[in-house]
């Protein structure tokens, strides 16, 4: 956390040097010391690295200093869905509570419905990011199509049959996902390297997304508002074994877009933000800025 803070301070320190250069080497050295799998210069997965970084920073500033024993009992099934959601979130915060949780963590709602008796049971789980499947191997799809596939109702039958809590036996059921709590910062990971694709190469499908006004209300379990604006993209070009990362980022005060490509940084046209190589997308919830400015981390 200290190393990350030093980098952020250097980044935002005013300077007369227009060509001032910042290096992330101290942060990388610290991370690879704590997580040797990130050592060296071979290609790493950006989403895996981001998850490790955010959770590591969270652990350093967790407001929970003395961790209580986790509650292992099931949430009372007689409670309403909203009450179950609040209880699940309260249990999560008993163990994990930090500024990073405030910004990045949302809550998913999973609904399991028995096709025999119609009974529906719901569970709620926190998420740091959403990994969305891509519905096409080539061509172009809209980001909403990825959300459609992610939240699509699936049938659980055969060996996948769950036990219906009302029938008290394994039954054919349907399962669907929706978003119960939207985080201030929504991180979307496009599954270009899913396990099913590992030996078939990378999915190079262009995923079309809007820079402003992403409306996720069709995937909401009830919360409003849920409109987001894009502020960053991690792009990947190349293959599973050899590739290159670049980033497109919106300045939180000037709203100008910049491209980051190793040591080269330059202003770019907003129309070129979607290069067709997006891998991880960063969105900010509308109206979520603090009085001190942007919530960007």
């Amino acid at each position: 956390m200290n190393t990350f803070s030093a980098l952020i301070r250097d980044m935002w320190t005013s300077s007369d040097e227009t060509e001032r250069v910042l290096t992330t080497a101290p942060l990388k050295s610290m991370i690879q010391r704590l997580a040797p799998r990130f050592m060296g210069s071979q290609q790493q997965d950006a989403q895996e690295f981001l998850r490790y970084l955010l959770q590591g920073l969270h652990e350093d500033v967790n407001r929970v200093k003395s961790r209580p024993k986790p509650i292992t009992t099931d949430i009372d099934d007689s409670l309403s869905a909203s009450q179950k959601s609040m209880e699940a979130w309260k249990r999560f915060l008993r163990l994990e509570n930090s500024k990073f949780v405030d910004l990045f963590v949302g809550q998913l709602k999973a609904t399991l419905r028995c096709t025999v008796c119609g009974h529906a049971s719901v569970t709620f789980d926190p998420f740091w990011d959403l990994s969305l499947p891509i519905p096409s191997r080539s061509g172009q799809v809209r980001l909403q199509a990825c959300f459609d596939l992610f939240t699509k109702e699936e049938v659980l039958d055969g060996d996948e049959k769950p036990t219906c809590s009302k029938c008290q036996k394994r039954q054919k059921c349907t399962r669907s996902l929706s978003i119960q709590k939207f985080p201030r910062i929504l991180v979307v990971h496009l599954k270009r390297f899913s396990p099913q694709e590992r030996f078939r190469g990378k999915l190079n499908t262009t995923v079309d997304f809007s820079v402003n006004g992403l409306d996720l209300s069709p995937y909401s379990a009830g919360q409003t508002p849920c409109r987001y604006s894009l502020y960053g993209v991690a792009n990947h070009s190349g293959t599973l074994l050899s590739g290159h990362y670049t980033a497109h980022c919106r300045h939180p005060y000037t709203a100008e877009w910049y491209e980051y490509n190793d040591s080269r940084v330059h202003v770019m046209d907003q129309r070129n933000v979607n290069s067709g190589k997006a891998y991880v997308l960063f969105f900010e919830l509308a109206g979520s800025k603090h009085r001190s400015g942007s919530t960007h981390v």
Side-chain angles (χ1 to χ4, degrees):
M1 185 62 181
N2 290 333
T3 310
F4 177 78
S5 298
L7 175 63
I8 297 300
R9 281 197 301 270
D10 288 345
M11 188 180 300
W12 287 102
T13 298
S14 60
S15 172
D16 295 331
E17 302 175 42
T18 57
E19 299 299 323
R20 189 166 62 101
V21 175
L22 297 177
T23 176
T24 58
L27 180 63
K28 181 179 184 295
S29 297
M30 177 60 71
I31 290 174
Q32 66 186 24
R33 198 179 85 188
L34 299 172
R37 67 180 179 275
F38 293 119
M39 291 186 71
S41 58
Q42 72 259 34
Q43 178 172 278
Q44 301 286 349
D45 185 83
Q47 186 250 358
E48 180 185 348
F49 174 81
L50 176 67
R51 179 78 68 86
Y52 176 84
L53 175 63
L54 288 180
Q55 293 185 351
L57 292 171
H58 152 70
E59 289 171 4
D60 279 357
V61 294
N62 195 346
R63 298 175 182 123
V64 181
K65 302 304 180 184
S66 179
R67 294 175 71 86
K69 291 183 179 180
I71 300 173
T72 57
T73 55
D74 293 336
I75 294 175
D76 187 350
D77 202 41
S78 66
L79 297 176
S80 67
S82 177
Q83 290 172 321
K84 288 180 179 179
S85 166
M86 289 189 289
E87 175 61 22
W89 187 250
K90 186 168 68 173
R91 291 186 180 189
F92 173 68
L93 292 182
R94 285 181 74 249
L95 302 173
E96 315 292 346
N97 191 342
S98 72
K99 187 65 175 180
F100 290 92
V101 169
D102 295 343
L103 291 175
F104 289 94
V105 179
Q107 188 184 55
L108 280 176
K109 175 184 179 181
T111 302
L112 192 68
R113 189 179 301 276
C114 177
T115 61
V116 177
C117 72
H119 175 70
S121 60
V122 295
T123 54
F124 298 90
D125 293 294
F127 67 87
W128 285 83
D129 55 45
L130 295 179
S131 291
L132 304 186
I134 301 174
S136 173
R137 286 192 55 81
S138 59
Q140 182 171 334
V141 299
R142 298 175 68 244
L143 181 61
Q144 283 82 349
C146 300
F147 274 100
D148 289 342
L149 186 56
F150 178 73
T151 57
K152 181 181 178 182
E153 184 177 88
E154 60 175 329
V155 177
L156 303 178
D157 199 2
D159 293 338
E160 294 183 322
K161 281 183 182 178
T163 300
C164 172
S165 58
K166 187 174 181 180
C167 297
Q168 291 296 306
K169 58 186 290 190
R170 296 182 67 196
Q171 301 282 30
K172 178 181 177 181
C173 294
T174 61
R175 181 178 182 271
S176 60
L177 293 174
S178 57
I179 303 174
Q180 179 72 23
K181 181 183 185 298
F182 287 87
R184 296 182 191 179
I185 300 298
L186 175 65
V187 180
V188 173
H189 163 234
L190 299 175
K191 296 173 70 173
R192 297 192 183 277
F193 303 107
S194 65
Q196 293 81 7
E197 304 295 334
R198 188 168 297 277
F199 301 105
R200 300 171 60 187
K202 172 188 170 186
L203 289 178
N204 287 306
T205 312
T206 297
V207 178
D208 187 32
F209 50 84
S210 59
V211 172
N212 296 304
L214 174 65
D215 184 9
L216 296 183
S217 57
Y219 316 104
S220 170
Q223 176 190 333
T224 56
C226 43
R227 294 180 68 86
Y228 284 88
S229 294
L230 184 77
Y231 77 86
V233 185
N235 303 293
H236 181 273
S237 56
T239 67
L240 176 66
L241 301 177
S242 175
H244 180 65
Y245 284 109
T246 60
H248 297 156
C249 303
R250 189 189 73 209
H251 194 287
Y253 301 113
T254 67
E256 286 185 305
W257 281 88
Y258 289 80
E259 180 177 66
Y260 295 80
N261 187 348
D262 289 340
S263 61
R264 299 181 297 280
V265 180
H266 62 83
V267 177
M268 65 179 299
D269 193 314
Q270 178 178 301
R271 292 173 295 184
N272 298 326
V273 168
N274 190 348
S275 65
K277 299 175 182 178
Y279 184 50
V280 183
L281 304 171
F282 298 81
F283 292 93
E284 184 175 35
L285 186 65
S288 64
K289 293 183 179 180
H290 298 308
R291 276 174 284 180
S292 59
S294 173
T295 59
H296 293 179
V297 174

